[in-house]
Amino acid sequence: SDPAKLQSALRALKFALDHPATLHVQAAPTRRGGDVPVAARATQASVSKRLPRQKYKPQAKPKDNPFRAAEGDLRRNARLVQAEALQEIESVLDVLNRDVLPPPGAYDSAEDDSD
C-alpha cells in the first residue's frame, strides 16, 4: 500500500534476480523469534550509532500563573499590573521619541546646499 515500500521491494527483487550469487538465503534467528535475512541484520556500525535510551522524565509543572488562576481577583490584579507596566513602557518610549527624534518635517524644509 505504501508506494515507497513497494518500489524498494521491487528494486530488491530485481537486484536479487540479476545477482543470484549475492542472494542472502540464510537467516538468523532474532530475540523475539522468527528469522531476519542477513541483509536486514543490524551491523556493528549501525548498532554503535544508535542513541542510548533515555529514561522518561516528566517535565516540571509551570509555576503558578496568575493569569490562569481560578480566583477572579488574582486574574484581575495580574491584568492590572500588566496594564500598568505596559503604560509605563509606553510613556518611557514617548519621552525617548520626543527627546531623541527630530520633530516631523524638520528635514523637509532644509535644502541640500552641497552644490
Side-chain angles (χ1 to χ4, degrees):
S1 63
D2 185 11
K5 286 183 181 179
L6 181 63
Q7 278 191 332
S8 176
L10 285 175
R11 269 193 236 114
L13 179 62
K14 277 185 183 179
F15 183 85
L17 293 174
D18 291 342
H19 305 86
T22 60
L23 183 62
H24 301 291
V25 292
Q26 297 176 349
T30 63
R31 284 185 228 155
R32 289 177 294 201
D35 294 335
V36 175
V38 174
R41 274 193 255 163
T43 63
Q44 186 64 36
S46 69
V47 170
S48 67
K49 288 179 187 175
R50 286 189 202 146
L51 293 174
R53 291 186 177 226
Q54 299 290 326
K55 186 176 179 181
Y56 173 72
K57 294 181 211 169
Q59 290 185 348
K61 291 186 179 180
K63 299 203 184 274
D64 294 331
N65 187 347
F67 293 102
R68 297 186 182 270
E71 298 84 20
D73 290 340
L74 287 176
R75 284 197 311 266
R76 267 191 297 284
N77 289 341
R79 286 195 181 96
L80 284 174
V81 169
Q82 183 183 34
E84 289 172 4
L86 291 175
Q87 284 292 335
E88 181 68 25
I89 292 170
E90 283 290 326
S91 66
V92 168
L93 289 176
D94 289 341
V95 168
L96 282 173
N97 283 337
R98 187 186 69 226
D99 293 344
V100 174
L101 295 178
Y107 298 116
D108 293 343
S109 61
E111 293 188 10
D112 188 22
D113 294 329
S114 62
D115 291 2

